[in-house]
Amino acid sequence: MATLGLSEAERESIERFQRDVVEPSMTSLVILDFWAEWCGPCKQLSPVLDKVAEDYAGKGVKLAKIDVDQEKMLASQFRIQSIPTVYAIHKGQPVADLTNYRSEGQIKKALDQLIAQLKIEPGGATPQAEIEPLIAMAEQVLADGDAVRAVSIFRQVQDMAPDNAEVTGGLVRALIAAGETAEAKTILDGLPDELGKKPEISRAKAALEVATAPKADTAALESRLAANPDDHDARFELANARMAEGDRDGAADALLDIIARDRDWNEGAARQRFLQLLEAQGLADPWSSAQRRRLSALLFT
């Protein structure tokens, strides 16, 4: 915005705009509200915007207001013809016109879409692009079997991104692999509801369920099955015991055997346990994909 030939008041106005709108918008989403003291609809909308800005402060959203009577030059630059006029500003540019959204629900829905599309990070959060390589490294270390080192890496990344579900889920799975199931459970139990619903956390919960499956005397269970192959209770206990031993193939085989013999046994308990085993492994994992094909072959042939 050119400043040549401007009055001192206009220069100050531009400086305030730069400080309160442009600079914050470089990393945040700024709600810019054009209003006036005499404007009735402005007074109705103002507390709604205040409430939304307060609720979304932790999501990287800020609120700035411009009195069109006091800041005539800025209003002219934005070609404001009626008020209230509300824009969303990011990186110094308008990215959405929020003027027609007057209720809290409408505004929040629009902001949620913008935050997702523009990848707005919460204030002070480490950008996702910076932590993704570290997450990938920790996952690789975990996959290679060094659970203790994976825990250490995930802890360091969590210090950078404490509310990242991918990081928290990875830390929990690493702790489980390292035998620290008590700490893993404590972390999961302490998560806020919103974070606890994320798929990365669901996978961690499934991993904990699998890891804490009850152990049993597998020899005795196999003897029961030799005497009665349709003893589904024994086969289900055997699947749990295989899980507890870390034998995912043995667990999957036992559960699929139950499904093949009686897919509705115990209200589909074997199928539910089987899907939990896949989720713990990771649904995108090649092993899980192969097991899903085995399940589909049973169910649809």
Side-chain angles (χ1 to χ4, degrees):
M1 190 178 293
T3 60
L4 188 62
L6 298 179
S7 68
E8 185 61 29
E10 289 172 333
R11 288 178 186 274
E12 292 176 357
S13 177
I14 291 174
E15 289 174 1
R16 282 195 300 273
F17 183 78
Q18 183 74 21
R19 182 186 65 242
D20 297 340
V21 179
V22 176
E23 291 177 4
S25 77
M26 292 297 107
T27 55
S28 301
L29 186 67
V30 177
I31 303 172
L32 183 57
D33 175 28
F34 290 90
W35 70 289
E37 186 63 38
W38 48 263
C39 170
C42 298
K43 291 182 178 180
Q44 293 178 339
L45 181 61
S46 182
V48 177
L49 294 177
D50 290 342
K51 173 67 162 52
V52 170
E54 181 180 354
D55 292 346
Y56 275 60
K59 297 183 179 183
V61 175
K62 299 181 183 298
L63 175 63
K65 300 188 179 188
I66 293 179
D67 185 332
V68 296
D69 289 337
Q70 300 296 324
E71 309 282 2
K72 290 185 172 62
M73 185 192 65
L74 290 177
S76 175
Q77 288 284 338
F78 277 87
R79 296 176 180 169
I80 303 301
Q81 297 180 342
S82 63
I83 52 174
T85 292
V86 183
Y87 291 128
I89 309 292
H90 184 56
K91 295 191 181 299
Q93 300 295 325
V95 292
D97 185 345
L98 306 179
T99 302
N100 292 328
Y101 302 131
R102 298 301 176 91
S103 73
E104 181 179 336
Q106 289 174 331
I107 297 170
K108 285 184 173 181
K109 183 177 180 180
L111 290 178
D112 287 337
Q113 293 173 346
L114 288 169
I115 289 169
Q117 291 170 1
L118 299 171
K119 295 180 170 54
I120 305 293
E121 299 288 346
T126 303
Q128 182 69 15
E130 291 186 22
I131 66 172
E132 281 179 354
L134 299 174
I135 294 173
M137 179 174 67
E139 290 286 2
Q140 186 60 54
V141 170
L142 181 58
D144 290 342
D146 193 345
V148 174
R149 182 169 172 239
V151 167
S152 176
I153 297 171
F154 273 121
R155 286 196 199 280
Q156 293 177 51
V157 182
Q158 191 180 47
D159 288 340
M160 301 166 60
D163 298 321
N164 186 294
E166 192 175 2
V167 176
T168 301
L171 173 58
V172 169
R173 288 185 290 105
L175 285 166
I176 293 167
E180 303 292 342
T181 55
E183 184 180 353
K185 185 177 187 306
T186 298
I187 291 174
L188 290 174
D189 289 346
L191 293 178
D193 290 341
E194 184 177 349
L195 190 61
K197 295 175 183 177
K198 299 284 187 179
E200 298 89 349
I201 303 303
S202 296
R203 179 185 176 188
K205 290 178 179 178
L208 182 61
E209 286 287 333
V210 168
T212 55
K215 297 181 179 180
D217 181 353
T218 56
L221 292 171
E222 287 171 348
S223 296
R224 285 173 57 185
L225 288 169
N228 178 13
D230 288 325
D231 186 345
H232 300 323
D233 287 302
R235 200 176 300 276
F236 193 75
E237 287 183 47
L238 180 62
N240 284 334
R242 296 296 187 216
M243 286 183 185
E245 294 171 350
D247 181 4
R248 64 182 185 182
D249 290 323
D253 289 345
L255 293 169
L256 286 171
D257 202 348
I258 296 173
I259 295 168
R261 292 171 182 274
D262 184 356
R263 70 180 61 180
D264 296 322
W265 174 77
N266 197 16
E267 299 182 347
R271 183 178 177 184
Q272 293 171 21
R273 196 63 156 164
F274 183 80
L275 295 175
Q276 187 178 60
L277 180 62
L278 302 193
E279 186 175 25
Q281 183 64 30
L283 297 179
D285 187 270
W287 182 85
S288 297
S289 298
Q291 298 303 320
R292 280 203 306 272
R293 289 194 292 273
R294 294 179 68 193
L295 177 62
S296 296
L298 284 177
L299 297 178
F300 303 113
T301 58

